[in-house]
Amino acid sequence: MSLAKDLRLGLRMMGRKPAFTALAVATLALGIGANTAIFSVIHSVLLRPLPYPDSDRLVQVWNKYPLMGLPLASVSVPDYLDRRDGVGAFEESALYYFRSLNMASNGAPERITGLRTTASLFALLDSQPELGRVFTEVHEQPGNDNVAVVSHQLWQRQLGGDPAIVGRDVRLGGEPYRVLGVMPADFAFPNPNVHIWTPFAFTPEQRSDDARGNEFARMLARLAPGATLEQAQLQIDAIHEVNKERLPDSREFWQSSGFGGMVITYRDQLFGDLEPYLMLLQTVVGFVLLIACANVANLLLTRLSARQKELALRSALGAGRWRMARQLLVESLVLALTAGVLGIALGYAGIRVLTWLGVDPGAGVEIRLDPGVLLFTLALAVVTGIIFSLFPLIAVWSTDPNEVLKEGGGRGGSSGPRAALPRNILVVAEMAIALILLVGAGLMVRTMNALQHEDPGFSKERVLTAKVDLPAAKYTEDADVAAFYDGALTELSTLPGVQSVGLISDAPFSGSSSSGSYSIEGYDAGAGESDPHGFIRVVNADYFRTLEIPLLKGRLFSHLDDADAEPVVVIDRTLADKYFPGQDPLGQRLSRGGPDGPFFSIIGIVDTVKIRDLEQPVTKETIYFPYRQRPRQRMTFVLKTASEPGTVGKMVQAAILDLDPELPAYSVTTLDAQLRESLSTRRVSMVLLVAFGALAVLLAAVGIYGVLAFSIAQRLRELGIRMALGARPGQVLQMILRQGLTLVGLGVGLGVLAALALGRLLSSMLFGVQAYDPVTLAAVCALLVVVSLAACYRPARRATRIDPIEALRNE
C-alpha cells in the first residue's frame, strides 16, 4: 500500500473517532503552542539577526575596573580615539551617550530622549535617512553641532509630518537646531525610545589625556570581515599596555583597579541577562510537551487495545509488522501535524499574552511568528508525532497475533499486567515531570515573595518621583541651577497632599548608577588594593526624611550648606564600616578628582540603601553631596504624599511649567513602581512557570484519569465477579484508588529525586530560598497528591456502581 493510501486510511481513522481525535489534537496543540510562543521569543532575541546590517559583527566596547567592583564602565573620549584608530579588527566605530532634550512646540513642551553621537554611527549601522541627510564630521566641531536628525515617529507626532521640515529649525533645550534629516520608520537605535540624534563634538579638553577617567559615553564598533572578538580584545589590551608606559602617572591607579577594556557582542550586551530565563522557560515548555506526548501515547494505547483483533486479522492476511507499524506512524503524524496547525494559532495567541505580560526585548526587536518559528513548529510536530507513537509501535511489534485471535480479541486479552505496563510507565513519568515543574514554579514564587519583602533601606510607600533636566543654554551658572531647584522645592512642598519633598541626582532603581573614585585624607590603599570607589549622589536634606533613611550619626544638610559654606558630605554606613572601622568618621575629609582635589568634610552618617539591585548585598558605598554646593542640571524630585500619589503627578508637572514654560517634568512615576519594574523579568518568568506548571498538573491528572478509566473498562468482568462474591463498594473504591495512588506515589518519588538533582541549576536565580527547600517540596507533593486523588476518585467511584449481573452478561 502506498503512502497516499496510508494517509487516507489515517484520515478515516481520525474521522471515525472524533472525540478521541479532538482530545488528542487539543492536548498536543497546547504543548506545541506553548513551545511555539516561547521559541518565538528565543528566536527573536537570540537567533534572528538584529535589525541592522551585519548585526553579528556589531560589538560593544567598555572600560572595566574589576578590582574596584566595576566589571563594566563607560568610555572616555581618549579611550574611544585610541581604539578607533588603533584596533585594526574594527572596521567602523562610534561613540555616543544619551541626553534628554526639551522640545518646545505649539503645545506643551515635551521631553525627548536623544542621542549625542559621532557621525560615524550612521555608516556603522549602514542606515540612510528617509528624508534629507545625516550629519557628517563637519558637524563634529564645537559651535557647528546645532543640527539634528529626527525619528520618523517624532516627525509625525511633534512636527506634523511636514516634508519641508528638512532645513528648518526646531527648539531643543532652549536652543535652535537645524533639522538635517528624518530616519525611516523602522530605524531604532539604541532603542525605540530614542527620537533625535545630534552630533558629538569633542572639545580639545575632552581629547586630551587629562580627560581619561571622565567616562560617560558608550562605544559601538563593527568587526572587520574575518576579524574575531578575541583579536579585538588582544588589540585593546595592547593599546592599554602602551598607554601604561606612556602615562606613568596613571599606571599605579590602573594596576590597583585592574583597569582595561572589554569587548562583547552587541547581542550579548542587549540580551545576555535574559538568556538564562529564556532557556529555563524553553526547558519548561519542553517538559509540558513531553507530558502531552505521554497523554496522547496513552490514548493511542487505549485505542490500540480496541483494534487488536483488527490488526491481528490483517497480520494473518499477510500484512507484516513493518507495514502495520508504518500505518500507525502515519496516523500519529497526521494527528501531530493537525495539532501543529492548531499550535501555531495558540502560539500566536501566546505571543499576544506575553506582550500583555510585558515581555518586550526592546532595541527594536519584535516578537513574531516568522518563517523560522513556523519551521520550528513544523519540525516539532513531526518529532512529537514520532515520540508519542513509540509506545503503540512497541506494543504492535511485541504482540503475537495468534494469541490475540486465540483469545478472541476480548477485553481480557489486553487487561493483564503486561498490557498495562506501558500506560503505567507513562503516567509515572507525567507525574514526575509535573512535580519537577511545580517545584521550579514554587521556588520562583518564593523568590519573588522574598524580593518583594526585601528591605531596600528606604520607604517606598506613597512616594512619587519626577525628573527635570535644565537646559544648559538657559541655566548657565551653578547659581541659576540652585535657584531654580530652590523655587521648585518651595512650590512642590505647598501642593495638596504633599508631606515632604526631596531632591536627588539619581533616584534608587531609576536605572542610573553614577559612581566615581575618591580619596580619603590620610588613607593610602595597601599593596594590591584599589582606591576607594563609590556611588555619587547629590541631594537636599529633605531627601533623607522623605525616604525615611535613618541618620545614624552627626547631622544632615541644611540651607546653610551652600556654595559659600565649607564643602561637606554625608556618607553611608557601608563607607564608614569599610574605611573607618573603630573610628569616628565625623570631621574626616575626602576629595573627588584625586588627592589634590577639593576636600569635603564628613558631617553625617546615614544607613545604607540598595540603589539598583534588591538581590545582592550592598558592597559599594554611597557619598551624598548637598545640591547647593554641587548643582546638577538633571535632578529627580521625590515627594512623600499623604495618600496614593496618583493625582499628584499632574500637579507636579503643572507646577514645574509655572516656573519655566519650556521645561517639562518627565518620568513621573512612583518609587514602588520603579522597584517592581526592576523585578519585571523575574515576575514574568514566575507567572509563566506557574502557568506551565498548572498546565502540566492538569495534563498529568487527565493522564491518570484516563488510565484508571480504561483499566476499569478492561476489568469489568473481574470487578463484576468480585462484587458478586460479596466485595463491598468501599473495598472496590479502595482498590481502584490504591492502584491510582501507587502510580502517583512512584511519580512523586521519582520527581522529588529529579528535582533535588536539578535544583542546583536554579540556584543562581533564587533569592531568600534554597534550591532544596523542604517547604516547597512538601507543598508541591501535597498539591500533586490532592489533584491526583481528585482525578482518581471519579473512575473509582464509577467502579463501585457496576452491576455484577450486567458486567458478567456483557462478558
Side-chain angles (χ1 to χ4, degrees), residues 308 312 315 321 395-406 418:
Q308 281 192 348
S315 177
R321 290 181 178 177
V396 167
W397 198 260
S398 60
T399 300
D400 185 348
N402 295 323
E403 289 296 322
V404 174
L405 292 175
K406 189 183 301 180
R418 180 180 176 184

Side-chain angles (χ1 to χ4, degrees), residues 587-746:
Q588 302 287 345
R589 301 200 306 167
L590 54 82
S591 70
R592 291 271 288 134
D596 298 327
F599 279 90
F600 299 80
S601 295
I602 299 174
I603 61 170
I605 306 171
V606 296
D607 208 356
T608 296
V609 301
K610 293 190 173 184
I611 289 178
R612 57 181 179 181
D613 193 344
L614 280 172
E615 301 177 45
Q616 302 299 325
V618 178
T619 57
K620 188 179 289 294
E621 61 271 24
T622 301
I623 304 171
Y624 299 94
F625 294 86
Y627 80 96
R628 286 192 178 97
Q629 292 185 354
R630 293 177 70 88
R632 296 270 185 98
Q633 271 145 342
R634 184 174 62 195
M635 298 286 283
T636 299
F637 293 104
V638 182
L639 300 90
K640 187 80 168 184
T641 61
S643 58
E644 289 304 315
T647 59
V648 178
K650 291 185 177 180
M651 291 190 291
V652 170
Q653 293 174 311
I656 297 300
L657 288 176
D658 286 342
L659 293 170
D660 187 334
E662 292 188 347
L663 187 63
Y666 61 95
S667 296
V668 180
T669 184
T670 63
L671 194 53
D672 188 51
Q674 291 181 189
L675 265 75
R676 289 199 306 271
E677 178 62 25
S678 72
L679 300 174
S680 59
T681 299
R682 283 192 173 277
R683 182 177 294 104
V684 171
S685 299
M686 179 200 70
V687 170
L688 292 176
L689 279 174
V690 170
F692 293 139
L695 178 59
V697 172
L698 174 63
L699 292 175
V702 169
I704 194 167
Y705 173 89
V707 165
L708 290 183
F710 179 74
S711 175
I712 291 168
Q714 297 287 54
R715 297 170 63 186
L716 280 177
R717 184 169 181 268
E718 172 203 337
L719 294 175
I721 293 174
R722 285 178 181 271
M723 298 185 74
L725 293 176
R728 294 188 301 273
Q731 292 175 316
V732 175
L733 180 69
Q734 290 179 11
M735 181 180 66
I736 301 299
L737 288 178
R738 189 182 306 115
Q739 176 189 350
L741 291 180
T742 298
L743 299 178
V744 173
L746 288 172

Side-chain angles (χ1 to χ4, degrees), residues 99 101 103 112 114-117 122 129 131-136 139 144-151 154 159 165-172 175-183 195-199:
R99 64 184 306 206
L101 295 164
M103 174 177 279
I112 305 297
L115 210 69
R116 178 162 278 176
T117 176
F122 301 102
L131 293 177
R133 60 191 177 93
V134 297
F135 46 82
T136 65
H139 302 101
N144 198 30
D145 56 343
N146 273 34
V147 296
V149 174
V150 300
S151 71
L154 181 65
L159 303 176
I165 191 65
V166 174
R168 285 168 42 188
D169 289 347
V170 294
R171 193 164 180 80
L172 299 172
E175 295 184 90
Y177 277 72
R178 180 67 48 85
V179 176
L180 294 181
V182 177
M183 297 304 292
H195 293 294
I196 194 162
W197 297 265
T198 58

